[in-house]
Amino acid sequence: MVNATMQTENVDTTAIRQHELQTVRRSFIRGIAEPLGLIAALVALIIVFSLLNPRFATLENLRNVLDQASVPLIVGVGATLVILLGSIDLSVEGVMGASGMAWILMSANSRGGADLGVWAWIGAIAIGMALGFASGALFTRLKVPSFIVTLGMWYVGLGIATVMYGSGIVPMLTDEAVGGWASSATLGLPNSFWLAAVVVVLGVLTLRYTRLGRVTYAIGDNETIAKGNGVPVARVKTVVFVIAASLSGLAGIIATMKLGAGSATVGSGVLFVVIPAVVIGGTSLGGGKGGVLRTVLGVLLLTVLTNGLILAGVSPSWQSGVSGAILVAAIIVAAWSQRDRLRVAK
Amino acid sequence: MNTVTPPKERAAAPETAPASRRSLLKRPRQLWAVTGPLVIFVVMLAIVAGLTPTFLGSNGLTFIAAAAAPILLLALGQALVLNIGSIDLSNAAIAVLGAILLAFLLAPLAAAAPLLVLLIVTLFGAVNGLLVAYAQVPSFALTLGTLGIFQAAALVLSGSTTVYVSANGEAISALYQSGILGIPMTFWIGVVLAIVLWAGLRFTRLGLAMTAIGNNESGAIFSAVRNRRVKVVVFALSGFTAGLASIAIIAQSGSASATGAGGDLLLPAITAAILGGTSISGGVANPINVIFGALTVALVPIATTAIGVDAQAQNLVYGLVIIVVVALTMARTRGAVVK
């Protein structure tokens, strides 16, 4: 033993160390190359749309884009957390409907009823949390795949919203100060965007510096090993689903505020923006790889694209096709270098 | 399923067939896996019939089967894709696009139109498969992208309006209006296809290769399964069944539109496949049980109306029933990671 160690100490390890250094450097370049590619694509889109329509590159339109991006950004933070676990949350539109409806019925609206002010927010988000807890508990305890649990919860949320709506008149916001809050500007940018920015920062900090965030990556990377290391997998998953659903609830409030009226389908279409945005951002659907800032890039790319296409006069019929083609191109480019005969991609 | 056979049973495995049949009855879990979807459908139907006795008399079954036909056709393709461990989110959009194409082509091409549409949509499915297999991208993300493309194609092609069949529609709509035992032909097409697919999965080299990929793709590659070719075939079959669904849509409504019948069938069809005992992580599929899965999915909204659930609470009930029924029928493996 002693001899062996002596010998290895004398061996020249420069070549090995150099190789390791190269590997580290290469993985670093690969790590920033993908977000840089997205930023380049975003800049290219902005330049093209500015040339096509001078109204694109105005402060007013910037406010518009950031206002439109706020709801998918808030939902996207939660969706990123869930996808990092390797699971998926399809319930966002239902939760948005339930929370949004609860909020407007508890705020000053044309149906009358009590104006609970801040408690309306708390109550609405609590409904989201309850739905998220139900999803998480059914998923972890009954071991039903998250795809199905949250699909069911989508309809449950829609159902709760419809039951709350009842058969009366459409509840409209009567307090203009509340109704206009989301889109009115503070420091030149819309309030809804500031709210989304706070959520994004909290999401980044949670993932980077808290135990919950690190464990989320660990579970997504390899659940069996995480469990073997004493990680309370079921509890962490449940907490992540609760966080995601409360963010959907918050987004439901903002969306209802912008609409100015209560609607069960207030979240309609959000799911099919958020999941492509997360995937285009580069968060792996298998879990364990990605992050919130990548999702921000994905959301901004898709929002700028939608906004720019409308301003460029492209018929709305083409929009889902263009977004789809970009999603296909993005994932093929991202996966191209990793192709291998023995690689398994589901 | 990924269950590891204990050494004792493994040693006893090459015995005679009756032994395995007896063990099926001894193991309630496996018996439930085979009969669960049928039992759940029958129990639910019995509850509905008990609460509203007129339901079965007034063509209730015809109604359910008619509603289940397009769901069943889509679910059969989806079950094959789920069986290899992938998912096809684009098949309902392909069905809508196929229905619009069929509505346009029936007048000029007559009998050749359905065949041409089936060929085109099979090619669409094959393109999905080629990209999944050779670009090695996750099918969830890829088919989410192609879903958008097919939707846009349907919108642009139809000019965002409803396309009506202007001539030669009689032969197609006869598939819906005529039937055997009061069940429309569109549903019987699904039943025949389910039996063919069941036999294909159990007895052909291609079908066994599909299940092998779903169980363990790396293992399948090392066993010389041509995994990429098989994947292309599976996605092409998913496109083909979507084409049959578009024929069922045209047979039922005589028209097609990008936002109309069919577009909202994606999630019901996936649910039907899973209710039929298909594992979402791959390796388990029984097309015959998917028939009962599709019937259950079609029954739930009809049943909630028949029982007299408040119209506003229907989504709520639908969501809860989906979760409960899947929790009951799901293929579970002890200690397996559920995503």
Side-chain angles (χ1 to χ4, degrees), chain A residues 34 38 76 79-80 83 88 273-286 289-291 294-295 298-299 302 326-328 330-332 334, chain B residues 137-138 140-142 144-145:
Chain A
E34 213 183 306
L38 274 177
T80 310
I83 291 176
I88 194 137
V273 175
V274 168
I275 291 182
V278 173
V279 174
I280 289 173
T283 299
S284 148
L285 280 167
K289 280 188 219 78
R294 287 164 166 265
T295 302
V299 169
L302 288 182
I326 288 183
L327 177 60
V328 170
I331 54 170
I332 290 179
Chain B
V137 292
F140 186 97
L142 179 88
L144 189 61

Side-chain angles (χ1 to χ4, degrees), chain B:
Chain B
M1 219 193 291
N2 291 325
T3 37
V4 178
T5 329
K8 250 189 211 165
E9 286 181 48
R10 208 183 289 156
E15 272 186 11
T16 45
S20 72
R21 208 169 295 148
R22 220 183 306 133
S23 66
L24 184 71
L25 290 172
K26 268 186 188 165
R27 271 178 267 164
R29 188 174 274 229
Q30 290 201 356
L31 182 68
W32 178 246
V34 175
T35 58
L38 170 65
V39 170
I40 283 184
F41 173 66
V42 170
V43 167
M44 282 180 54
L45 191 64
I47 292 173
V48 175
L51 290 173
T52 49
T54 51
F55 182 73
L56 287 181
S58 59
N59 292 332
L61 272 179
T62 311
F63 204 43
I64 294 171
I71 298 176
L72 171 60
L73 290 164
L74 284 172
L76 286 172
Q78 192 66 263
L80 291 181
V81 178
L82 290 174
N83 188 37
I84 62 164
S86 301
I87 195 163
D88 185 355
L89 298 181
S90 70
N91 68 351
I94 293 181
V96 171
L97 182 56
I100 290 172
L101 280 173
L102 188 58
F104 273 126
L105 294 177
L106 261 177
L109 295 180
L115 295 178
L116 184 64
V117 167
L118 279 177
L119 180 69
I120 293 172
V121 293
T122 308
L123 284 177
F124 287 159
V127 170
N128 273 339
L130 281 169
L131 288 171
V132 166
Y134 289 92
Q136 296 189 343
V137 292
S139 54
F140 186 97
L142 179 88
T143 53
L144 189 61
T146 51
L147 159 74
I149 297 174
F150 291 129
Q151 258 175 0
L155 274 169
V156 171
L157 199 64
S158 66
S160 309
T161 56
T162 305
V163 183
Y164 292 92
V165 177
S166 54
N168 300 325
E170 303 80 16
I172 297 277
S173 56
L175 287 176
Y176 175 68
Q177 278 148 6
S178 70
I180 303 169
L181 302 172
I183 307 287
M185 288 307 292
T186 46
F187 186 79
W188 287 116
I189 294 175
V191 172
V192 171
L193 184 67
I195 294 169
V196 171
L197 290 178
W198 175 81
L201 275 181
R202 292 291 177 285
F203 305 121
T204 69
R205 177 185 281 222
L206 183 65
L208 291 170
M210 290 174 192
T211 309
I213 290 174
N215 273 322
N216 181 347
E217 188 165 349
S218 303
I221 297 170
F222 285 123
S223 313
V225 168
R226 297 180 183 279
N227 65 323
R228 294 179 293 196
R229 215 176 288 175
V230 173
K231 278 184 180 176
V232 176
V233 172
V234 168
F235 275 90
L237 279 173
S238 176
F240 176 76
T241 67
L244 291 177
S246 48
I247 293 177
I249 291 169
I250 290 290
Q252 196 161 348
S253 55
S255 67
S257 78
T259 50
D264 47 359
L265 290 183
L266 168 65
L267 296 171
I270 295 176
T271 314
I274 292 172
L275 285 182
T278 311
S279 157
I280 201 165
S281 50
V284 187
N286 184 345
I288 291 178
N289 273 345
V290 174
I291 300 173
F292 303 113
L295 284 170
T296 308
V297 169
L299 174 65
V300 173
I302 297 171
T304 48
T305 321
I307 293 176
V309 172
D310 194 17
Q312 281 147 3
Q314 269 177 26
N315 273 330
L316 189 64
V317 175
Y318 186 66
L320 290 175
V321 169
I322 298 286
I323 296 176
V324 170
V325 175
V326 171
L328 286 174
T329 54
M330 223 186 72
R332 283 190 184 77
T333 311
R334 201 170 176 74
V337 171
V338 180
K339 293 221 158 170

Side-chain angles (χ1 to χ4, degrees), chain A residues 77 79-87 200 202-227 229 231 233 236-237 240 278 281-284 286-295, chain B residues 339:
Chain A
V77 172
T80 310
L81 288 174
V82 173
I83 291 176
L84 279 175
L85 284 176
S87 307
V200 166
L202 286 178
V204 171
L205 293 179
T206 307
L207 272 182
R208 203 162 282 174
Y209 297 112
T210 67
R211 201 183 143 84
L212 178 77
R214 304 318 296 171
V215 165
T216 301
Y217 277 108
I219 293 174
D221 212 26
N222 192 325
E223 190 171 328
T224 316
I225 291 179
K227 201 178 257 173
N229 280 303
V231 171
V233 171
V236 171
K237 283 179 167 177
V240 166
V278 173
T283 299
S284 148
K289 280 188 219 78
V292 167
L293 287 177
R294 287 164 166 265
T295 302
Chain B
K339 293 221 158 170

Side-chain angles (χ1 to χ4, degrees), chain A residues 11 29 50 117 158 194 277 308:
Chain A
V11 170
I29 291 171
S50 311
L158 280 182
W194 288 117

